[in-house]
Structures are given as structure tokens and as C-alpha cells.
């Protein structure tokens, strides 16, 4: 059963109503559900479907393609000599097909592009000289891939025969909290929203990871089984993830490792210093790829110049890996259950909740009633000087109605008690922010919590707005 994805599914279905042949690209990080979305949207009916071979040689790729052609009905099909001949055979299949609409689905296209194989040139020729040359205009090509950097370079930014040929592109995002809740219900997982949020802080919104949750176990027991058991299913996922996405994963892993050590993020020159990577176009390519895949985000601090852009690691799984899996010498198969109340996990929960909020800013805007107001999301920091102690604000929502929401995010398993210390800290940040930026916007102190705030004492009255976890499930 397909959870969510209504907009993306409609985009796929709509291409069949077009009067011209269509070239659709579906992309997104590994395990996000691209293949499932496409198959469900077309009810598993394709004139031809094929999946590239991971780490396969050119001969292995062509052999697998030949086998897919035979499975689709092209019985007299020898092993192609090259990709040009392979796509000629595909065109033969299209010509003999009785399907009114020829839906061609090629999954993991980047895996098929082995060195000097001329795959892209052959695909260009197939699309321009064969598929779109048909008077029937009945070819609907859907290609898909997890190697988003390859898709971007060879398809979206193609300066050859595919330039301007893409008619539809769909970037499949991870699930939101609401979609994870829907998935949990369909899967029979008895999870309260606080459990769903905690699971999100570990898995993110990646459906494949959520699939490992066992409904007969508690969340801590599940985490032990998935990450810390001797046969843990995701123990080696970190390396597999980055190696599957990038042909040369080392610089990518070096960047996320450096960013994983700095909560607020790093500037480009700091990344270079921490990774010893060269300041080159290759580094720019690595940063762009990581952002395109959703592993990092780039943002400019309020009032700062573009050159001071910060890069921050926001992928939940990668952050969890660095915190608890990498260099974990414990052999305890019940590590998570035994450490759940430890200071280390408590500290991590606070930081992870902040990341969760950053991934649900659109939902925060809805809760604030400003989804229809133009706004900019940013962070801000300033170093200590003789005039002030310095300050860091992780989330600012700068609105066109002359208001800035200064947001603090606090994780708590019960209603959050607003202390005088918190209000003093937020007021200090507000004062330093106004002093340094000279902004004339009204500053609204906004607190985001998991279970709402306890309306005790007078401290909570200093807040202009309060948002709770339930508001993020929309």
C-alpha cells in the first residue's frame, strides 16, 4: 500500500494524458521509496522494465538488459554488443508491443553507466531518433536512480542530446512525521507520537528503515535489534549507503564526518581545514551532491554575506550513526535499552529534536498561521565581543509582515516547565540579535516542545507563541 505521495503519484499518472511522448526522471536518496512509488502508480504494468546491476561490469549490465527484454516479450534477442544495439532492441520491443501506451521503466540507471560504455550517448539517440520519432507519440520513459549526483550531471545538466528533453522531474523526499504515523498505523505498529518522533530522530523519514520495526517489540527493543544485536540489520548501512550513492564516496564521507562533529555547521574554509580536501570545483560538486541528496543543508546566517554560508548535517540516520554506532566499543546487544536514561542519550535527544524541527519548518509555519506569508528561514550566530557575550540561534523565521520568530526547541517526555533561566537566555539572545543586526522587526519568542508547556508560574507568559509536537503532524 502506498503511503502519502499523492502529489508525486498524480504527476506520474498525469504524464499518460500528455499528447507527446514523455521523459520523466524520479530521483532521491537511497531507500526513500522511488521504485515502489513508480510500480504502484502504474499498477505494475510496463511495456518494459529493467533494473541496473549494482557494481556490474558492462557485459553484466548488457546481459541483464537482454534478459529484461526477453522477459518483456522480445524472444529473439541476442546479447547486445553495446548500448546502442541494446536500445535498438528496446525499440524493436516497442514496435511489436500492442500496448496503447508504451511505458518504459529503467530503474537505477546510474548503475548501468560503466566506464567508457557510452550509455548516455545511446540513451540520447534512443530518445531523439527513435522514441520521439514515432508518429503515435506513445512512449513514456521513466528513469530512476539513487545516485542523485549522476542524475544531475548526466540528465538534468546534460549539454548534449538530452538538453531540454526532460518533461517531468520528481524529487522524492523522505516521509514527514505525519506520513510516518500513517505508515505505522498501516503496519500495525502501536506507537504514540512521542515514539514516532524518537524513531524519526534515528531513521529520518526513510520508509526502508521503518520497515524493520517489529510491532511485537517496544521502540528501545527495536533499536537494539536493528543496530546493536549481533545480526543487526543496519549495522553496516552507513558504508553501504554512501558507496551506493557515490562512485568515489571518500570525499563525501569525509565531509559528513567533519560536519557530524559541529552542531551549528561549518563554513567552506572550515570544511577544507577539517577534511584536508582541496578548495576546488570538486569540493563544490561534493557539497552540491550532499545537499541534493538531503544529507546536508546550506544556509546563510541572518545578515551575513553569501560567502559565509554554513553547511550543516541534517540526515537523521547519519547523525545517529556518528553518535552511537561509529567507534562504539560496547558489545552489549541491549545497548539502547540499557542506556536509554543516560546523560549521553538525553543530550542527543535534545539535539536530534532540534534537527527534527528544522526538517518540519513548513509545519511550524502552519502552526504559526503564516504559511501564506512570504518568509525566510535562517539561523544566526555572533562571536563574543567586549559589548556582548555572543549568541547562537538555530531557527529564525523572518516574515514579510515585519515579524521574526526566534525559536527554541526543547525535548521533554512530559510537559515542559519554562524556567526563568530559559526566558533570560532567550531574552539575552533577542537583545544581542537586535543590537548586532539593527533589525526593526518585532521579535516573537517562540518555544517548540514535544508535549507542550506547563502553564505554571509567570515565566511562560514571556513567550509570544508555543508549538508542540502534535503541530508537526500536519
Amino acid at each position: 500500500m502506498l503511503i502519502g505521495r499523492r502529489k508525486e503519484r498524480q504527476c506520474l499518472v498525469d504524464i499518460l494524458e500528455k499528447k507527446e511522448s514523455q521523459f520523466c526522471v524520479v530521483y532521491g536518496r537511497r531507500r526513500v521509496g522511488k521504485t515502489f512509488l513508480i510500480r504502484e502508480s502504474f499498477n505494475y504494468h510496463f511495456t518494459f522494465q529493467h533494473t541496473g546491476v549494482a557494481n556490474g561490469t558492462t557485459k553484466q549490465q548488457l546481459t541483464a538488459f537482454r534478459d529484461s527484454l526477453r522477459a518483456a516479450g522480445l524472444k529473439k534477442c541476442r546479447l547486445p554488443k553495446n548500448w546502442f544495439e541494446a536500445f535498438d532492441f528496446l525499440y524493436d520491443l516497442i514496435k511489436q508491443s500492442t500496448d496503447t501506451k508504451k511505458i518504459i521503466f529503467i530503474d537505477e540507471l546510474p548503475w548501468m553507466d560503466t566506464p567508457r560504455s557510452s550509455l548516455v550517448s545511446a540513451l540520447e539517440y534512443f530518445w531523439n531518433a527513435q522514441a520521439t520519432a514515432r508518429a503515435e507519440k506513445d512512449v513514456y520513459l521513466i528513469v530512476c536512480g539513487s545516485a542523485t549526483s549522476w542524475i544531475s550531471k548526466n540528465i538534468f545538466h546534460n549539454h548534449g542530446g538530452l538538453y531540454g528533453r526532460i518533461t517531468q522531474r520528481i524529487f522524492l523526499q523522505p516521509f514527514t512525521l505525519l506520513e510516518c504515523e500513517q505508515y505505522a498505523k498501516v503496519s500495525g505498529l502501536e506507537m504514540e507520537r512521542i515514539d514516532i518522533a524518537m524513531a524519526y530522530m534515528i531513521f529520518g523519514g526513510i520508509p526502508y528503515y521503518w520497515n524493520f520495526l517489529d510491532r511485537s517489540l517496544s521502540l528501545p527493543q527495536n533499536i537494539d535489534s536493528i543496530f546493536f544485536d549481533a545480526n543487526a540489520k543496519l549495522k553496516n548501512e552507513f558504508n553501504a549507503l554512501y558507496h551506493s550513492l557515490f562512485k568515489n564516496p571518500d570525499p563525501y564521507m569525509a565531509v559528513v564526518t567533519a560536519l557530524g562533529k559541529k552542531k551549528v555547521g561549518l563554513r567552506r574554509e572550515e570544511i577544507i581545514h577539517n577534511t584536508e580536501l582541496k578548495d576546488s570545483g570538486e569540493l563544490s560538486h561534493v557539497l552540491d551532491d550532499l545537499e541534493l541528496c538531503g544529507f546536508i543543508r546550506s544556509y546563510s546566517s541572518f545578515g551575513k554575506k553569501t560567502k559565509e554560508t554554513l553547511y550543516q548535517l541534517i540526515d537523521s540516520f547519519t547523525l545517529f550513526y556518528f553518535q552511537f554506532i561509529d567507534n562504539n566499543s560496547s558489545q552489549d546487544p541491549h545497548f539502547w535499552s540499557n542506556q536509554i536514561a543516560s546523560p549521553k542519550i538525553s543530550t542527543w535527544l535534545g539535539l536530534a529534536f532540534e534537527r527534527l524541527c528544522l526538517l518540519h519548518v513548513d509545519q511550524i509555519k502552519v502552526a504559526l498561521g503564516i504559511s501564506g506569508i512570504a518568509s525566510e528561514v535562517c539561523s544566526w550566530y555572533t562571536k563574543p565581543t567586549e559589548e556582548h557575550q555572543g549568541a547562537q540561534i538555530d531557527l529564525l523565521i523572518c516574515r514579510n509582515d515585519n515579524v521574526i520568530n526566534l525559536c527554541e526547541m526543547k525535548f521533554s517526555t512530559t510537559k515542559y516547565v519554562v524556567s526563568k533561566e530559559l526566558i533570560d537566555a532567550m531574552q539575552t539572545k533577542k537583545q544581542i540579535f537586535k543590537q548586532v543586526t539593527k533589525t526593526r522587526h518585532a521579535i516573537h519568542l517562540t518555544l517548540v516542545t514535544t508535549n507542550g508547556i506547563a502553564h505554571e508560574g509567570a515565566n511562560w507568559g514571556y513567550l509570544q507563541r508555543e508549538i508542540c509536537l502534535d503541530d508537526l503532524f500536519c
Side-chain angles (χ1 to χ4, degrees):
M1 178 179 179
L2 192 62
I3 304 296
R5 312 303 198 195
R6 292 181 181 178
K7 181 179 178 181
E8 294 85 356
R9 184 173 189 171
Q10 193 61 51
C11 285
L12 286 171
V13 173
D14 284 349
I15 69 172
L16 297 181
E17 303 302 319
K18 304 295 183 181
K19 296 181 180 179
E20 301 286 337
S21 291
Q22 299 290 301
F23 191 153
C24 176
V25 180
V26 181
Y27 63 109
R29 61 162 288 178
R30 186 175 187 250
R31 314 294 205 187
V32 80
K34 302 180 296 297
T35 303
F36 186 67
L37 167 69
I38 295 168
R39 287 174 175 167
E40 285 284 312
S41 296
F42 294 107
N43 198 28
Y44 294 79
H45 177 76
F46 302 99
T47 301
F48 173 77
Q49 63 175 317
H50 173 71
T51 301
V53 180
N55 303 313
T57 63
T58 300
K59 184 176 181 180
Q60 289 171 329
Q61 300 290 353
L62 290 169
T63 300
F65 198 83
R66 186 270 316 273
D67 293 344
S68 294
L69 287 167
R70 288 179 173 175
L74 193 66
K75 300 303 181 185
K76 296 181 180 180
C77 180
R78 67 177 184 276
L79 180 65
K81 297 176 182 177
N82 52 47
W83 281 116
F84 282 93
E85 189 169 52
F87 280 107
D88 280 341
F89 292 160
L90 175 57
Y91 190 52
D92 289 339
L93 176 67
I94 289 172
K95 288 187 291 185
Q96 78 170 34
S97 172
T98 58
D99 293 337
T100 304
K101 299 179 185 295
K102 280 61 172 178
I103 306 174
I104 311 300
F105 174 33
I106 301 178
D107 197 6
E108 295 299 356
L109 178 66
W111 289 354
M112 298 161 59
D113 187 26
T114 53
R116 298 178 298 279
S117 69
S118 299
L119 171 72
V120 176
S121 296
L123 179 62
E124 291 172 353
Y125 182 81
F126 164 75
W127 184 249
N128 293 315
Q130 296 175 317
T132 58
R134 288 174 58 81
E136 296 85 352
K137 304 183 186 302
D138 58 354
V139 179
Y140 302 86
L141 174 62
I142 300 103
V143 302
C144 177
S146 299
T148 306
S149 59
W150 188 96
I151 295 284
S152 176
K153 177 182 178 182
N154 293 281
I155 304 294
F156 296 152
H157 297 117
N158 182 292
H159 297 295
L162 293 182
Y163 180 78
R165 298 296 191 270
I166 309 306
T167 56
Q168 181 66 268
R169 61 174 71 184
I170 299 173
F171 177 46
L172 196 60
Q173 300 270 14
F175 277 167
T176 62
L177 278 170
L178 177 60
E179 289 168 327
C180 286
E181 182 178 52
Q182 293 169 348
Y183 179 90
K185 288 180 179 178
V186 169
S187 302
L189 298 168
E190 289 294 332
M191 300 176 72
E192 296 297 321
R193 284 185 164 179
I194 189 67
D195 293 321
I196 293 172
M198 291 179 69
Y200 200 97
M201 295 177 206
I202 298 170
F203 300 121
I206 306 303
Y208 176 80
Y209 298 156
W210 284 75
N211 181 60
F212 289 116
L213 291 171
D214 185 337
R215 63 179 184 174
S216 69
L217 303 177
S218 67
L219 181 59
Q221 289 175 318
N222 266 303
I223 302 308
D224 285 331
S225 173
I226 295 169
F227 290 103
F228 301 104
D229 186 77
N231 298 312
K233 305 172 185 68
L234 294 181
K235 182 176 290 186
N236 300 314
E237 172 67 9
F238 177 79
N239 286 323
L241 175 62
Y242 286 90
H243 278 78
S244 70
L245 288 174
F246 310 111
K247 288 188 175 180
N248 178 23
D250 291 344
Y252 296 89
M253 296 169 73
V255 169
V256 296
T257 299
L259 293 178
K261 298 174 182 177
K262 187 71 172 180
K263 171 179 174 287
V264 70
L266 296 171
R267 295 189 296 275
R268 184 186 178 99
E269 58 269 25
E270 293 173 324
I271 292 174
I272 294 169
H273 174 74
N274 283 275
T275 62
E276 298 184 356
L277 295 173
K278 294 182 179 179
D279 188 5
S280 63
E282 182 184 359
L283 176 58
S284 299
H285 187 62
V286 167
L287 293 171
D288 289 344
D289 286 349
L290 286 170
E291 186 164 15
L292 193 61
C293 290
F295 290 106
I296 69 174
R297 70 164 183 148
S298 63
Y299 66 94
S300 296
S301 184
F302 182 91
K304 299 287 185 178
K305 298 179 181 179
T306 304
K307 68 178 182 179
E308 295 187 47
T309 296
L310 284 165
Y311 297 91
Q312 183 183 47
L313 181 61
I314 57 171
D315 180 61
S316 299
F317 171 80
T318 303
L319 286 161
F320 181 81
Y321 171 83
F322 284 140
Q323 189 71 28
F324 297 106
I325 309 298
D326 190 31
N327 297 321
N328 186 346
S329 59
S330 172
Q331 299 298 315
D332 184 3
H334 306 292
F335 173 83
W336 195 255
S337 297
N338 291 334
Q339 298 293 321
I340 192 66
S342 68
K344 182 177 182 179
I345 290 182
S346 296
T347 300
W348 169 80
L349 284 169
L351 297 175
F353 182 65
E354 291 179 8
R355 295 287 195 274
L356 182 147
C357 292
L358 292 175
L359 294 171
H360 289 78
V361 172
D362 288 344
Q363 287 78 7
I364 291 175
K365 290 180 182 179
V366 171
L368 291 171
I370 60 169
S371 56
I373 299 174
S375 60
E376 179 184 1
V377 177
C378 55
S379 300
W380 183 79
Y381 73 98
T382 186
K383 296 179 180 179
T385 68
E386 293 181 356
E387 297 179 351
H388 60 75
Q389 65 187 36
Q392 176 184 320
I393 304 171
D394 292 316
L395 178 58
L396 289 166
I397 303 177
C398 310
R399 300 152 43 176
N400 276 13
D401 58 356
N402 206 43
V403 171
I404 295 177
N405 289 93
L406 188 161
C407 302
E408 285 284 326
M409 291 80 78
K410 298 295 181 182
F411 182 90
S412 175
T413 55
T414 58
K415 285 190 175 296
Y416 187 81
V417 178
V418 181
S419 65
K420 181 178 183 301
E421 289 74 18
L422 174 65
I423 295 300
D424 287 346
M426 293 181 74
Q427 292 283 16
T428 298
K429 289 182 180 182
K430 172 182 174 180
Q431 292 167 6
I432 296 174
F433 177 74
K434 297 191 73 170
Q435 175 187 342
V436 173
T437 64
K438 310 298 183 186
T439 182
R440 295 187 178 182
H441 284 64
I443 309 297
H444 285 190
L445 300 183
T446 305
L447 184 61
V448 186
T449 65
T450 43
N451 287 290
I453 64 175
H455 293 157
E456 301 173 359
N459 294 319
W460 68 273
Y462 289 95
L463 300 169
Q464 272 74 40
R465 293 300 300 267
E466 58 178 285
I467 296 170
C468 68
L469 181 61
D470 284 344
D471 294 318
L472 305 186
F473 283 79
C474 69

